[in-house]
Amino acid sequence: MLKVKVFIISFLCSIVLFSQKKEQETLKEVLQTIEKTFNIKFSFSEELIQGKSIEISNDGDVLATILTEIEQKTGLLIKKINNRYYTVSTNKNIEVCGYILDLNSKDPLINVTVLAKNTGVSTDEKGYFKVKNLKETDTLSFSYVGYTPIQKTVSELRAKTCKIIYLNEAENVLNEVIISSYLTTGVAKNNDGSIVLTPRKQGVLPGLTEADVLLSTQQLPGIQSPIENASGIHIRGGTPDQNLILFDGIKLYNTSHFFGSISAFNPYVVDNVTVYKNASNVKYGNHISGVIDIKTMTDVPKKISAGAGFNFTNADVNTTFPIGEKVGIQFSFRRSISDLLNTPTFDRLSQKVFQNTVIAEGKTLAEEQPFIENENNFSFIDFNTKVIFKPNSNNTFSLQQIRIKNDLKYILDNNDDNERRFDFIDIQNEGYGITWNKKWNTNLSQNTSVHYTNYTLFYDGNKQRDNAVYDFTIKNNEIKEVAFSTVFSQKLNAISELNFGYEFTNSNISFNLEQENLDLFTRSDNRDRKTNNQQTLLAELVLNKSKKYNVNVGLRTSYMPLLDKTFFEPRIYGRIMVLPSFWINTSAEIKQQYTSRITEIFTSDFGLENELWAISNGKEIPVLQSKQVTLGVLFDKKGWLIDAEAYYKNIDGLTTLSTGFEDTTTGETIYNGSIRVLGADFLLKKKWSNNISTWVSYAIGENESNFAGLNKGNTFSGNFNISNSVYIAQQVKFGKFDFSLGWSHRTGLPFSEVLDRGFDVEQVSLGQELGPLNDKKLPSYHRLDASATYDFYWSKKRKVKSKIGVSLINIYDRKNILRRTYEKDVDELTGSKVINTVDTFSLGFTPNFVFRVRF
């Protein structure tokens, strides 16, 4: 009975004692009180608990509960030796976990970056993260694109269960994200109408094992590649040469490998890709269609990272590492493996690329003696380097470099007749840049940069007999361009900003051609180098009130001394929320372009090098000008996303040199003309759960060309006019697996029909034998693509991450006709002159495989 009374008295004393501990006490006092209350002893170092205070809850009537609370609040480890003695020591292996959600929607945020002093992780599809080997004094930072970053201490996160952490979308950010998961993770839509892709966070897309920068953009509504090329990006009726593509500010004139098949950018070093389909920022000039702005690392890395991998076309390595706290370096190198290993992917690409060229003809001849393929070597490389120097929080300097190179050498011999055919193509684009970002104060910043780009296309082709050349062609197209710009950003208040600046661009473009055929002609076209020094003043006012409204009004004023003309390019974009989760947007713009690509109609050589760059001279090559207006709506609520935009675009300054149209009378006259495009883009997406999404995109449009002197003065469809196209995609995540399936269908491209299959040998132009231009359409195009990836770690330490993946293009092996042209020929049996149809076919069934490892 005495023991029971003692227990009751002790119990009541403990309740009274701990009920008084409303205010924090030193940890030493708390431990001493516990010793007296529960008749135990603690062993600890005075230094260990010095300066620590704690508040114990009122309901601390159980010793184990009290000790657990002390551990959670102090980060210390209390270990029981026996019923009386306990030790207090440092916990050197603290582990915290949690779930990161959107503050408003409460949806999980995937791929949120969680960084501690010596480690870092990303959240999974449930928003979950776990960080090990932490110390009590450590602080974790949480960051995600479009959201305000936050920090939390280890003591805040320590708990018996994983804590829920909320991130709020960034407020008062003038270019904030309005839709964080536009198609899939890693694809967002900004307030100004641009779309941002983050390749390293991007979910797997149908037909892609990796986040190919240019192929990924073609998943967006309104962007297509009619001839299945990575670089063949047509944005709302514009052609690829009318787009502006920048890599860390460096303008590129060649953006692909293997004649357009693969984009020339390693996605594993790309931080983000900003895509404008309309009303681009005023800092972007010399284009009349879309903008694709590619950025690599923008800050000094905190730790070393490296990666390597290969697929069935190329292999690459990349690394990012700091040198101290102020300097960071990033490097990437990628090379084709086609000359080392024959793969089914490269075989399929080769069949598509080389059809209707001398290589396809050579392969046919080589099937029968006496022709032999002595050499057929193709290779490509790309590498880029970036150095960031950040001496303080107000200044950041960066040096950037990129090099893209493609080589092809082909030799066909006929030993019986001592004949040889030789073809060599070298296409290169290298660029360099230096950038200085200066923050003068909290409201004023400045971005100054100098960039240089050098593009060259060299082709050498000849035919030899008895070691004497009797037919040859040599081409050399070169661009050297230096650009300087400085742009100031002045924040006027919480919702407005003024951007203004100056640009200077020096462009030098030359084209040289030597051509000789002893039987037919001798031709020489050695054009002097054309130089243009363009100066531009620009200004833009940005108004942004969170997600309620956004207005961008800008003007570029450029003087072109080559033509002694001044050009004005006004641009405006506006968006307003009319109902919760429902916005209306509109834009209008005028743009000019003074460098454009021309097409050689009469090329008689290799067949892949007939598109050449030139500077506008105001005559045969006018300055291109586009005018575009858009009107759209956007709805985003409870997993449903609807984005629709209608647009009208008019392009002036086109010539038959740039479009490839022939004069149907003589084939020699160059005509000027224009194109009018009227269309609309639609996107419907449903996020069924955190792991399942479906989207459907649909584009409708009509491209009408008008060239006086062509088609009897009547309008006709553009060469790449696609009246209707639909794309249906499904994405499913299951644990570490990521699956996607996509089906595309579109109307066939237009073509002109031959009226008479015979021709007069004196006639120069095939156009004389054609009916109305582009009044017929090829059969509809459709194909089914799929992709699957699996991410895993090599050990429980999660230091080495790997990915394997497969993609299947055109699963049911549809033989799509991409385009139709014609060529003159002579029937070997009858000797009569005939016109043959030349069809270009799409990729057949094409598998690919990827394996990657990242440290």
Side-chain angles (χ1 to χ4, degrees):
M1 188 68 180
L2 179 62
K3 291 183 177 180
V4 174
K5 290 181 179 180
V6 171
F7 175 78
I8 292 173
I9 292 171
S10 300
F11 177 73
L12 293 174
C13 289
S14 66
I15 294 177
V16 173
L17 181 66
F18 283 96
S19 66
Q20 295 174 349
K21 298 187 186 303
K22 287 278 185 178
E23 298 180 354
Q24 286 196 345
E25 297 181 71
T26 66
L27 180 57
K28 185 175 182 178
E29 291 174 342
V30 172
L31 294 177
Q32 289 174 344
T33 302
I34 296 173
E35 286 179 332
K36 293 177 181 179
T37 304
F38 295 96
N39 193 26
I40 61 174
K41 294 293 291 183
F42 290 106
S43 174
F44 54 83
S45 166
E46 290 289 338
E47 294 179 356
L48 181 65
I49 65 171
Q50 187 176 4
K52 288 184 171 61
S53 298
I54 191 172
E55 176 186 333
I56 300 298
S57 304
N58 290 333
D59 58 348
D61 56 344
V62 179
L63 178 61
T65 303
I66 297 171
L67 297 182
T68 299
E69 185 176 0
I70 294 173
E71 285 182 325
Q72 292 175 351
K73 291 184 175 181
T74 64
L76 298 175
L77 179 65
I78 302 177
K79 186 177 181 180
K80 182 178 180 180
I81 304 301
N82 53 44
N83 289 335
R84 180 167 171 76
Y85 290 97
Y86 291 77
T87 61
V88 181
S89 60
T90 302
N91 188 349
K92 296 182 179 180
N93 187 24
I94 302 175
E95 177 182 294
V96 298
C97 63
Y99 293 88
I100 303 180
L101 310 180
D102 180 281
L103 179 63
N104 298 315
S105 68
K106 304 302 186 289
D107 289 334
L109 296 178
I110 305 171
N111 289 320
V112 175
T113 301
V114 183
L115 290 177
K117 184 176 181 181
N118 297 312
T119 186
V121 298
S122 297
T123 56
D124 62 13
E125 66 274 5
K126 297 179 180 179
Y128 174 78
F129 73 92
K130 180 189 287 186
V131 185
K132 300 179 180 179
N133 300 321
L134 297 172
K135 296 181 180 178
E136 177 198 357
T137 56
D138 284 346
T139 298
L140 275 68
S141 63
F142 303 84
S143 60
Y144 189 61
V145 60
Y147 287 76
T148 302
I150 63 172
Q151 291 185 334
K152 288 187 177 293
T153 61
V154 170
S155 59
E156 290 180 273
L157 298 173
R158 294 192 71 194
K160 289 184 178 180
T161 59
C162 298
K163 286 201 170 185
I164 295 177
I165 301 167
Y166 295 102
L167 290 186
N168 193 15
E169 292 192 68
E171 294 291 338
N172 297 325
V173 177
L174 293 175
N175 195 27
E176 69 183 57
V177 171
I178 188 171
I179 303 295
S180 59
S181 180
Y182 187 68
L183 291 182
T184 181
T185 56
V187 182
K189 186 162 188 176
N190 279 342
N191 259 344
D192 64 354
S194 63
I195 298 173
V196 179
L197 292 80
T198 309
R200 281 177 285 182
K201 297 180 180 180
Q202 191 173 301
V204 63
L205 294 171
L208 302 179
T209 50
E210 301 173 279
D212 184 289
V213 171
L214 298 183
L215 289 174
S216 294
T217 64
Q218 296 173 21
Q219 303 273 342
L220 302 174
I223 301 180
Q224 299 178 357
S225 179
I227 55 174
E228 289 186 341
N229 275 358
S231 60
I233 296 176
H234 293 244
I235 300 178
R236 292 182 169 176
T239 54
D241 62 300
Q242 296 167 1
N243 298 321
L244 174 65
I245 300 182
L246 301 173
F247 184 87
D248 276 333
I250 302 168
K251 183 176 181 179
L252 297 177
Y253 289 87
N254 176 53
T255 59
S256 65
H257 293 307
F258 201 25
F259 306 101
S261 300
I262 306 164
S263 68
F265 312 108
N266 188 338
Y268 298 100
V269 296
V270 173
D271 268 11
N272 60 74
V273 182
T274 304
V275 181
Y276 288 89
K277 294 188 290 184
N278 57 281
S280 57
N281 191 294
V282 292
K283 67 182 179 181
Y284 302 113
N286 193 19
H287 73 285
I288 60 170
S289 193
V291 175
I292 300 176
D293 191 357
I294 304 165
K295 298 287 188 183
T296 59
M297 72 170 182
T298 56
D299 206 350
V300 177
K302 299 184 182 300
K303 61 177 183 177
I304 299 174
S305 64
F310 71 91
N311 56 36
F312 279 170
T313 60
N314 57 261
D316 78 283
V317 294
N318 63 84
T319 183
T320 303
F321 57 92
I323 300 179
E325 296 182 352
K326 297 182 178 181
V327 178
I329 297 177
Q330 185 178 72
F331 175 76
S332 167
F333 179 84
R334 190 165 58 153
R335 189 190 188 281
S336 59
I337 62 173
S338 56
D339 53 339
L340 305 174
L341 179 67
N342 191 27
T343 66
T345 306
F346 191 80
D347 280 346
R348 290 293 188 174
L349 290 174
S350 297
Q351 290 175 22
K352 174 181 177 292
V353 168
F354 294 135
Q355 60 182 310
N356 307 321
T357 68
V358 295
I359 288 186
E361 179 186 351
K363 287 185 175 296
T364 301
L365 293 173
E367 291 176 358
E368 302 177 3
Q369 295 295 331
F371 289 95
I372 299 174
E373 276 189 333
N374 266 347
E375 191 167 353
N376 185 1
N377 290 328
F378 171 79
S379 65
F380 68 76
I381 63 168
D382 63 70
F383 61 89
N384 61 276
T385 310
K386 190 168 188 177
V387 180
I388 290 183
F389 172 51
K390 194 169 185 177
N392 51 56
S393 59
N394 293 327
N395 292 275
T396 303
F397 299 88
S398 67
L399 299 171
Q400 47 268 350
Q401 166 274 332
I402 185 171
R403 183 175 175 84
I404 303 166
K405 182 176 174 61
N406 288 259
D407 284 323
L408 172 66
K409 187 176 182 181
Y410 183 74
I411 299 176
L412 182 70
D413 286 335
N414 180 344
N415 294 328
D416 287 0
D417 296 333
N418 199 20
E419 280 193 87
R420 164 167 287 192
R421 297 184 182 183
F422 172 86
D423 291 278
F424 174 74
I425 296 179
D426 177 56
I427 303 174
Q428 299 187 46
N429 204 152
E430 61 180 338
Y432 306 89
I434 180 170
T435 302
W436 173 38
N437 287 306
K438 171 67 175 179
K439 185 177 181 181
W440 294 100
N441 54 51
T442 55
N443 294 322
L444 178 63
S445 61
Q446 179 184 5
N447 179 279
T448 302
S449 63
V450 179
H451 296 104
Y452 169 78
T453 188
N454 181 210
Y455 164 83
T456 58
L457 181 149
F458 177 76
Y459 170 72
D460 182 8
N462 63 67
K463 297 178 181 179
Q464 305 173 18
R465 184 181 296 119
D466 297 325
N467 297 321
V469 175
Y470 67 90
D471 185 357
F472 74 87
T473 299
I474 297 176
K475 291 181 187 176
N476 191 3
N477 187 204
E478 183 178 26
I479 302 173
K480 292 182 178 181
E481 189 168 279
V482 178
F484 166 82
S485 72
T486 184
V487 178
F488 294 85
S489 296
Q490 174 69 56
K491 190 173 181 181
L492 304 178
N493 52 49
I495 65 170
S496 63
E497 181 178 278
L498 178 64
N499 303 314
F500 56 95
Y502 168 79
E503 295 178 358
F504 173 80
T505 305
N506 173 269
S507 301
N508 290 272
I509 302 182
S510 66
F511 167 61
N512 299 308
L513 168 67
E514 295 181 25
Q515 204 166 33
E516 182 174 353
N517 185 306
L518 296 182
D519 298 325
L520 297 176
F521 61 83
T522 298
R523 179 183 175 193
S524 178
D525 189 354
N526 298 313
R527 303 183 186 180
D528 294 333
R529 181 177 293 275
K530 299 294 183 182
T531 302
N532 180 60
N533 295 316
Q534 181 160 314
Q535 301 187 64
T536 302
L537 295 175
L538 59 91
E540 179 184 49
L541 177 64
V542 180
L543 302 175
N544 180 28
K545 180 64 174 177
S546 187
K547 287 191 174 184
K548 293 182 179 180
Y549 64 82
N550 186 77
V551 179
N552 294 34
V553 181
L555 175 67
R556 289 177 62 90
T557 304
S558 302
Y559 174 67
M560 186 174 175
L562 187 64
L563 302 180
D564 193 22
K565 285 186 178 181
T566 300
F567 300 94
F568 298 94
E569 299 178 75
R571 304 175 189 179
I572 182 171
Y573 175 87
R575 177 193 55 80
I576 186 171
M577 178 187 287
V578 293
L579 293 171
S581 304
F582 184 80
W583 296 265
I584 293 177
N585 63 78
T586 186
S587 69
E589 62 187 346
I590 297 176
K591 297 179 180 179
Q592 275 93 23
Q593 180 174 337
Y594 59 87
T595 56
S596 57
R597 203 157 55 186
I598 61 176
T599 301
E600 286 187 286
I601 299 172
F602 301 108
T603 183
S604 59
D605 27 85
F606 188 76
L608 289 172
E609 76 310 329
N610 63 325
E611 293 182 330
L612 308 166
W613 290 93
I615 288 181
S616 301
N617 58 17
K619 299 176 182 178
E620 297 90 356
I621 310 173
V623 173
L624 298 174
Q625 182 183 81
S626 73
K627 300 175 182 177
Q628 182 177 191
V629 294
T630 66
L631 178 65
V633 296
L634 178 66
F635 174 80
D636 179 35
K637 188 175 183 180
K638 294 183 178 180
W640 286 98
L641 172 64
I642 301 174
D643 190 7
E645 270 191 349
Y647 62 91
Y648 170 82
K649 179 190 285 188
N650 188 83
I651 301 176
D652 287 316
L654 296 171
T655 71
T656 48
L657 283 174
S658 60
T659 59
F661 291 123
E662 264 189 90
D663 172 21
T664 57
T665 306
T666 66
E668 296 177 351
T669 304
I670 298 173
Y671 291 103
N672 295 334
S674 62
I675 288 179
R676 186 184 68 179
V677 186
L678 182 64
D681 308 327
F682 302 91
L683 173 67
L684 172 64
K685 179 192 171 186
K686 171 60 178 174
K687 185 178 181 180
W688 305 102
S689 69
N690 292 330
N691 300 322
I692 303 176
S693 296
T694 304
W695 69 87
V696 179
S697 64
Y698 175 69
I700 184 172
E702 287 299 330
N703 182 323
E704 290 188 351
S705 301
N706 188 353
F707 285 77
L710 291 184
N711 205 43
K712 299 180 180 180
N714 299 318
T715 61
F716 54 92
S717 294
N719 285 336
F720 299 102
N721 182 49
I722 297 175
S723 301
N724 294 271
S725 67
V726 64
Y727 184 71
I728 305 172
Q730 176 75 53
Q731 186 181 44
V732 178
K733 286 185 68 69
F734 182 73
K736 297 178 181 179
F737 289 93
D738 198 345
F739 303 94
S740 65
L741 184 71
W743 182 73
S744 59
H745 183 282
R746 66 173 187 242
T747 53
L749 293 181
F751 72 97
S752 306
E753 191 174 31
V754 173
L755 299 179
D756 187 355
R757 288 286 174 173
F759 68 90
D760 186 343
V761 71
E762 299 300 327
Q763 291 177 348
V764 178
S765 173
L766 272 175
Q768 298 177 50
E769 314 297 337
L770 302 180
L773 284 176
N774 290 343
D775 69 330
K776 304 294 182 181
K777 286 190 176 182
L778 295 171
S780 294
Y781 171 103
H782 54 87
R783 79 181 200 192
L784 180 68
D785 303 332
S787 295
T789 61
Y790 174 72
D791 294 312
F792 62 96
Y793 290 93
W794 288 88
S795 67
K796 293 182 179 180
K797 294 183 178 180
R798 300 168 69 91
K799 290 185 177 181
V800 181
K801 185 178 182 180
S802 289
K803 178 179 80 171
I804 57 174
V806 294
S807 67
L808 304 174
I809 296 176
N810 197 0
I811 292 176
Y812 49 80
D813 202 21
R814 163 81 172 179
K815 194 173 184 179
N816 293 296
I817 303 176
L818 297 179
R819 49 187 315 191
R820 174 167 291 171
T821 57
Y822 302 97
E823 66 177 7
K824 294 181 178 181
D825 199 2
V826 177
D827 190 298
E828 294 182 357
L829 296 177
T830 64
S832 60
K833 302 171 183 62
V834 296
I835 296 177
N836 293 330
T837 300
V838 180
D839 286 338
T840 300
F841 292 96
S842 66
L843 277 171
F845 171 67
T846 306
N848 202 352
F849 170 84
V850 65
F851 173 78
R852 296 205 63 79
V853 60
R854 185 162 188 82
F855 305 91

